[in-house]
PDB file of all heavy atoms in Angstrom:
ATOM      1  N   PRO B 337       6.656  -2.600   6.302  1.00 97.00           N
ATOM      2  CA  PRO B 337       6.968  -1.934   7.570  1.00 97.00           C
ATOM      3  C   PRO B 337       7.990  -0.809   7.430  1.00 97.00           C
ATOM      4  O   PRO B 337       8.921  -0.896   6.635  1.00 97.00           O
ATOM      5  CB  PRO B 337       7.540  -3.056   8.443  1.00 97.00           C
ATOM      6  CG  PRO B 337       7.688  -4.248   7.580  1.00 97.00           C
ATOM      7  CD  PRO B 337       6.941  -4.033   6.321  1.00 97.00           C
ATOM      8  N   LEU B 338       7.798   0.251   8.206  1.00 97.00           N
ATOM      9  CA  LEU B 338       8.714   1.394   8.166  1.00 97.00           C
ATOM     10  C   LEU B 338       9.327   1.598   9.549  1.00 97.00           C
ATOM     11  O   LEU B 338       8.620   1.760  10.535  1.00 97.00           O
ATOM     12  CB  LEU B 338       7.940   2.648   7.734  1.00 97.00           C
ATOM     13  CG  LEU B 338       8.718   3.973   7.707  1.00 97.00           C
ATOM     14  CD1 LEU B 338       9.954   3.876   6.820  1.00 97.00           C
ATOM     15  CD2 LEU B 338       7.817   5.113   7.239  1.00 97.00           C
ATOM     16  N   GLN B 339      10.649   1.563   9.594  1.00 96.00           N
ATOM     17  CA  GLN B 339      11.360   1.852  10.839  1.00 96.00           C
ATOM     18  C   GLN B 339      11.542   3.356  10.964  1.00 96.00           C
ATOM     19  O   GLN B 339      11.737   4.046   9.960  1.00 96.00           O
ATOM     20  CB  GLN B 339      12.740   1.178  10.822  1.00 96.00           C
ATOM     21  CG  GLN B 339      12.671  -0.334  10.839  1.00 96.00           C
ATOM     22  CD  GLN B 339      13.984  -0.978  10.401  1.00 96.00           C
ATOM     23  OE1 GLN B 339      14.877  -0.317   9.873  1.00 96.00           O
ATOM     24  NE2 GLN B 339      14.079  -2.276  10.615  1.00 96.00           N
ATOM     25  N   SER B 340      11.521   3.822  12.208  1.00 95.00           N
ATOM     26  CA  SER B 340      11.622   5.269  12.425  1.00 95.00           C
ATOM     27  C   SER B 340      12.885   5.865  11.809  1.00 95.00           C
ATOM     28  O   SER B 340      12.872   6.986  11.322  1.00 95.00           O
ATOM     29  CB  SER B 340      11.583   5.577  13.923  1.00 95.00           C
ATOM     30  OG  SER B 340      10.328   5.196  14.441  1.00 95.00           O
ATOM     31  N   ASN B 341      13.969   5.096  11.820  1.00 96.00           N
ATOM     32  CA  ASN B 341      15.223   5.653  11.288  1.00 96.00           C
ATOM     33  C   ASN B 341      15.279   5.693   9.759  1.00 96.00           C
ATOM     34  O   ASN B 341      16.247   6.167   9.178  1.00 96.00           O
ATOM     35  CB  ASN B 341      16.444   4.907  11.862  1.00 96.00           C
ATOM     36  CG  ASN B 341      16.478   3.444  11.467  1.00 96.00           C
ATOM     37  OD1 ASN B 341      15.603   2.957  10.741  1.00 96.00           O
ATOM     38  ND2 ASN B 341      17.486   2.734  11.945  1.00 96.00           N
ATOM     39  N   LYS B 342      14.224   5.162   9.107  1.00 97.00           N
ATOM     40  CA  LYS B 342      14.192   5.211   7.642  1.00 97.00           C
ATOM     41  C   LYS B 342      13.141   6.205   7.127  1.00 97.00           C
ATOM     42  O   LYS B 342      12.855   6.255   5.918  1.00 97.00           O
ATOM     43  CB  LYS B 342      13.881   3.831   7.075  1.00 97.00           C
ATOM     44  CG  LYS B 342      14.936   2.776   7.376  1.00 97.00           C
ATOM     45  CD  LYS B 342      15.616   2.308   6.091  1.00 97.00           C
ATOM     46  CE  LYS B 342      16.803   1.409   6.352  1.00 97.00           C
ATOM     47  NZ  LYS B 342      16.391   0.090   6.871  1.00 97.00           N
ATOM     48  N   VAL B 343      12.571   6.988   8.039  1.00 98.00           N
ATOM     49  CA  VAL B 343      11.464   7.863   7.657  1.00 98.00           C
ATOM     50  C   VAL B 343      11.887   8.899   6.623  1.00 98.00           C
ATOM     51  O   VAL B 343      11.180   9.152   5.651  1.00 98.00           O
ATOM     52  CB  VAL B 343      10.832   8.525   8.905  1.00 98.00           C
ATOM     53  CG1 VAL B 343       9.942   9.688   8.529  1.00 98.00           C
ATOM     54  CG2 VAL B 343      10.018   7.505   9.684  1.00 98.00           C
ATOM     55  N   ARG B 344      13.041   9.487   6.816  1.00 97.00           N
ATOM     56  CA  ARG B 344      13.471  10.512   5.862  1.00 97.00           C
ATOM     57  C   ARG B 344      13.606   9.931   4.451  1.00 97.00           C
ATOM     58  O   ARG B 344      13.082  10.488   3.483  1.00 97.00           O
ATOM     59  CB  ARG B 344      14.807  11.148   6.286  1.00 97.00           C
ATOM     60  CG  ARG B 344      15.326  12.154   5.273  1.00 97.00           C
ATOM     61  CD  ARG B 344      16.751  12.586   5.552  1.00 97.00           C
ATOM     62  NE  ARG B 344      16.848  13.430   6.736  1.00 97.00           N
ATOM     63  CZ  ARG B 344      16.704  14.756   6.737  1.00 97.00           C
ATOM     64  NH1 ARG B 344      16.457  15.391   5.611  1.00 97.00           N
ATOM     65  NH2 ARG B 344      16.828  15.440   7.840  1.00 97.00           N
ATOM     66  N   GLN B 345      14.310   8.798   4.343  1.00 97.00           N
ATOM     67  CA  GLN B 345      14.473   8.166   3.032  1.00 97.00           C
ATOM     68  C   GLN B 345      13.114   7.824   2.427  1.00 97.00           C
ATOM     69  O   GLN B 345      12.875   8.025   1.244  1.00 97.00           O
ATOM     70  CB  GLN B 345      15.302   6.875   3.143  1.00 97.00           C
ATOM     71  CG  GLN B 345      16.759   7.085   3.506  1.00 97.00           C
ATOM     72  CD  GLN B 345      17.006   6.870   4.983  1.00 97.00           C
ATOM     73  OE1 GLN B 345      16.312   7.462   5.824  1.00 97.00           O
ATOM     74  NE2 GLN B 345      17.982   6.041   5.310  1.00 97.00           N
ATOM     75  N   ALA B 346      12.225   7.293   3.267  1.00 98.00           N
ATOM     76  CA  ALA B 346      10.902   6.902   2.775  1.00 98.00           C
ATOM     77  C   ALA B 346      10.135   8.115   2.266  1.00 98.00           C
ATOM     78  O   ALA B 346       9.490   8.062   1.216  1.00 98.00           O
ATOM     79  CB  ALA B 346      10.119   6.193   3.873  1.00 98.00           C
ATOM     80  N   MET B 347      10.233   9.215   3.007  1.00 98.00           N
ATOM     81  CA  MET B 347       9.466  10.402   2.608  1.00 98.00           C
ATOM     82  C   MET B 347      10.046  11.071   1.370  1.00 98.00           C
ATOM     83  O   MET B 347       9.349  11.775   0.648  1.00 98.00           O
ATOM     84  CB  MET B 347       9.358  11.379   3.780  1.00 98.00           C
ATOM     85  CG  MET B 347       8.378  10.854   4.835  1.00 98.00           C
ATOM     86  SD  MET B 347       8.271  11.861   6.316  1.00 98.00           S
ATOM     87  CE  MET B 347       7.467  13.334   5.718  1.00 98.00           C
ATOM     88  N   ASP B 348      11.332  10.861   1.144  1.00 97.00           N
ATOM     89  CA  ASP B 348      11.944  11.394  -0.078  1.00 97.00           C
ATOM     90  C   ASP B 348      11.533  10.602  -1.309  1.00 97.00           C
ATOM     91  O   ASP B 348      11.461  11.131  -2.408  1.00 97.00           O
ATOM     92  CB  ASP B 348      13.473  11.366   0.036  1.00 97.00           C
ATOM     93  CG  ASP B 348      14.001  12.563   0.806  1.00 97.00           C
ATOM     94  OD1 ASP B 348      13.282  13.578   0.865  1.00 97.00           O
ATOM     95  OD2 ASP B 348      15.116  12.474   1.350  1.00 97.00           O
ATOM     96  N   LEU B 349      11.283   9.308  -1.124  1.00 98.00           N
ATOM     97  CA  LEU B 349      11.073   8.422  -2.268  1.00 98.00           C
ATOM     98  C   LEU B 349       9.609   8.115  -2.571  1.00 98.00           C
ATOM     99  O   LEU B 349       9.224   7.987  -3.735  1.00 98.00           O
ATOM    100  CB  LEU B 349      11.828   7.106  -2.004  1.00 98.00           C
ATOM    101  CG  LEU B 349      11.916   6.098  -3.143  1.00 98.00           C
ATOM    102  CD1 LEU B 349      12.651   6.689  -4.338  1.00 98.00           C
ATOM    103  CD2 LEU B 349      12.632   4.833  -2.664  1.00 98.00           C
TER     104      LEU B 349
END
Side-chain angles (χ1 to χ4, degrees):
L338 177 56
Q339 294 163 348
S340 296
N341 63 1
K342 296 246 172 70
V343 165
R344 176 191 289 272
Q345 292 98 308
M347 287 175 69
D348 278 337
L349 188 61

